Amino acid sequence: MLESLYLNDNQLVGEIPSSIGDLLSLLVCNVSNNKLIGTVPDTTTFRKMDLTNFAGNNGLCRVGTNHCHPSLTSSHHEKPMKDGLSREKIVSIVSGV
């Protein structure tokens, strides 16, 4: 059962996969200080988390806050993550854990 996922300070780019927010046992998902864009998935799991877990991502916004930058989040194509990891690989890794 995955309860903590720390991906902060890794220069990750792209969007947060919504499937991470579906992990009901997840208590902490820290993705701060990366280069993430888009909207934090609006799931129960992510809604329970403190905003500091998402800080330092200029293109990232959270539903219901004033920290949204719509011009940065619309219609971006998926980008590779650091070291060539794609979003699907991260989801596979997290799902496997």
Side-chain angles (χ1 to χ4, degrees):
M1 201 174 348
L2 183 65
E3 293 181 349
S4 301
L5 180 61
Y6 292 93
L7 299 172
N8 52 304
D9 302 305
N10 281 298
Q11 297 182 6
L12 299 176
V13 297
E15 298 178 336
I16 299 173
S18 59
S19 55
I20 293 175
D22 295 333
L23 300 170
L24 300 178
S25 62
L26 194 62
L27 301 174
V28 175
C29 180
N30 188 330
V31 294
S32 62
N33 302 314
N34 284 292
K35 298 177 182 177
L36 298 173
I37 60 168
T39 304
V40 174
D42 190 27
T43 64
T44 303
T45 300
F46 283 129
R47 282 191 298 267
K48 291 187 289 186
M49 293 183 195
D50 190 88
L51 286 175
T52 59
N53 290 306
F54 308 102
N57 292 286
N58 291 333
L60 194 62
C61 71
R62 188 164 167 187
V63 173
T65 68
N66 295 330
H67 297 95
C68 289
H69 307 284
S71 61
L72 297 173
T73 61
S74 60
S75 69
H76 280 279
H77 297 289
E78 181 178 319
K79 297 179 183 179
M81 294 186 170
K82 182 180 179 183
D83 298 327
L85 292 177
S86 69
R87 182 173 23 177
E88 287 82 13
K89 289 180 185 175
I90 292 293
V91 170
S92 297
I93 292 167
V94 170
S95 297
V97 172

